[in-house]
Amino acid sequence: MLVTLNEQVNFLRGQVEAYFGRHPDAEIIRSQPGLGPMLSARVLAEFGDDPHRYASAKARKNYAGTSPITRASGKKKVVTARFVRNDRLIDALIAQAFSALRVSSGARAYYEQQRARGIEFNAALRQLANRLVGILHGCLKTGTPYDEATAWSHRAHALAA
């Protein structure tokens, strides 16, 4: 029974990769750090492929649930994670962020910077995922694949100053 299930999983994996590769944005999404063929297809499916669905990167981040919610009242200010969100999408984006730590020096530096500020592991990963969603939005908007130097160049200038 396990052999049959493995064969079916492999067949479906091949189908997803074949059909995802035909999408016009497949190359751009696949170029993002930490996104393999299956995770790329999952991210595309959860975000949708309407180019006008998200007016800004902030709108895409809010839909993804990676951007924080800030509540301020008088002297008190609280920043919390979004709990109402697309769980399948946030799971895929957190997996992307975790994988990006190994393949992207910019993502690793950003994550380490968050950890140095005393931010916990999950919150730092969520912030990295938030940044990666913004990068993905910019790449899709301009129609250009991910470029490590361009994506993290403003961070390098800020650290040098």
Side-chain angles (χ1 to χ4, degrees), residues 25-108:
D25 294 331
E27 180 184 340
I28 296 170
I29 294 171
R30 184 71 177 89
S31 70
Q32 302 294 310
L35 287 180
M38 297 302 287
L39 206 51
S40 296
R42 187 171 168 192
V43 167
L44 173 65
E46 295 299 334
F47 272 131
D49 63 353
D50 180 7
H52 306 292
R53 182 174 182 184
Y54 305 101
S56 66
K58 183 166 180 61
R60 189 179 292 266
K61 291 174 183 182
N62 289 344
Y63 176 75
T66 56
S67 62
I69 294 177
T70 304
R71 293 188 177 105
S73 173
K75 296 179 182 178
K76 189 174 182 181
K77 179 180 173 183
V78 178
V79 178
T80 60
R82 289 181 186 270
F83 293 104
V84 178
R85 59 187 179 217
N86 180 335
D87 289 336
R88 290 178 304 276
L89 178 56
I90 192 71
D91 287 344
L93 294 172
I94 294 296
Q96 176 199 6
F98 188 70
S99 297
L101 292 176
R102 289 182 288 125
V103 296
S104 170
S105 58
R108 172 55 91 175

